[in-house]
Amino acid sequence: MMKQAYAPTMTDTMVEVFKTDVQSVDQSIKLICKLSQYIPEIEINFDLEDCDRILRIKGEHVPVPRVIKLMNNSGYYCERL
């Protein structure tokens, strides 16, 4: 009798959290659109009520250096927590 290999049915996802200086909902919406365009298949949200103005990105692969570069090139501070 052959043993079957275990193959998970769900993909692993990771969550990366960043400190930013984004101040408004309008800014966050523009950044979500830009990040989604350059990094497809990720979930993005901001917590602007947090003192660190949190940017949270969830996906199978989150390219941290690219996120920081895109944020910086858009004129915002961004640091991985």
Side-chain angles (χ1 to χ4, degrees):
M1 186 165 120
M2 279 182 78
K3 256 182 140 177
Q4 285 187 325
Y6 172 73
T9 57
M10 294 175 51
T11 60
D12 291 331
T13 58
M14 59 189 314
V15 176
E16 293 289 349
V17 180
F18 303 86
K19 176 180 179 176
T20 74
D21 62 353
V22 175
Q23 297 296 315
S24 72
V25 173
D26 287 341
Q27 291 173 337
S28 68
I29 290 169
K30 289 176 186 175
L31 289 165
I32 288 170
C33 290
K34 182 176 243 180
L35 290 167
S36 295
Q37 179 182 0
Y38 288 101
I39 311 167
E41 299 180 16
I42 57 173
E43 293 178 38
I44 307 167
N45 66 59
F46 280 90
D47 181 356
L48 300 180
E49 293 181 12
D50 186 274
C51 65
D52 288 329
R53 309 291 187 180
I54 295 295
L55 163 61
R56 193 174 294 108
I57 300 180
K58 180 179 177 181
E60 196 170 322
H61 173 71
V62 179
V64 172
R66 189 169 190 189
V67 169
I68 293 171
K69 185 175 181 176
L70 285 167
M71 289 289 292
N72 292 163
N73 289 346
S74 297
Y76 296 94
Y77 172 80
C78 184
E79 171 190 350
R80 182 182 187 188
L81 291 178

